[in-house]
Amino acid sequence: MRERRTTEQAHTITMVIKLRKTMMSEFDYLQEVTVWDETSYSVSNHTYILNKAGQLAGYIKSGTSAEIWFKSPMKQFSKSRRKFKRVNKPN
């Protein structure tokens, strides 16, 4: 027969689940959807990984699924004059 979980075990499991949810939402994934029709050259729209402070922590090149992480976040990343949509973390 299965043993019943103690209150302490149930509390620990609940805390682990909350921690996992927090870790999953630690970063925002923004896919660029800017239309670059005024340029004479080709511009790729990548997916950018931002930390909660809005700093660029990494990116995913257009057409791939590999995450490229920086050693330290880029603090001067700007979203101005560009359009983005929030996406889920790719598998």
Side-chain angles (χ1 to χ4, degrees):
M1 282 201 310
R2 288 177 54 179
E3 294 180 27
R4 294 187 70 146
R5 291 190 177 122
T6 65
T7 305
E8 185 177 334
Q9 289 172 327
H11 179 68
T12 302
I13 291 170
T14 303
M15 294 304 292
V16 168
I17 292 170
K18 286 181 181 179
L19 179 62
R20 285 185 181 165
K21 286 181 181 179
T22 301
M23 289 175 62
M24 288 175 58
S25 65
E26 187 175 343
F27 296 98
D28 289 326
Y29 287 75
L30 300 179
Q31 182 178 13
E32 186 169 11
V33 293
T34 307
V35 177
W36 299 99
D37 56 356
E38 295 180 15
T39 61
S40 60
Y41 50 89
S42 176
V43 178
S44 297
N45 286 340
H46 305 295
T47 300
Y48 297 95
I49 306 168
L50 278 62
N51 62 18
K52 290 300 176 187
Q55 302 165 344
L56 185 63
Y59 68 102
I60 302 171
K61 288 184 180 180
S62 179
T64 68
S65 61
E67 295 176 350
I68 301 167
W69 294 91
F70 301 125
K71 289 180 184 177
S72 60
M74 295 177 62
K75 296 178 171 100
Q76 297 200 359
F77 176 74
S78 174
K79 296 188 289 185
S80 66
R81 301 185 201 168
R82 297 157 62 175
K83 295 182 182 175
F84 297 90
K85 70 177 182 178
R86 182 170 276 121
V87 294
N88 293 328
K89 179 179 179 179
N91 297 331

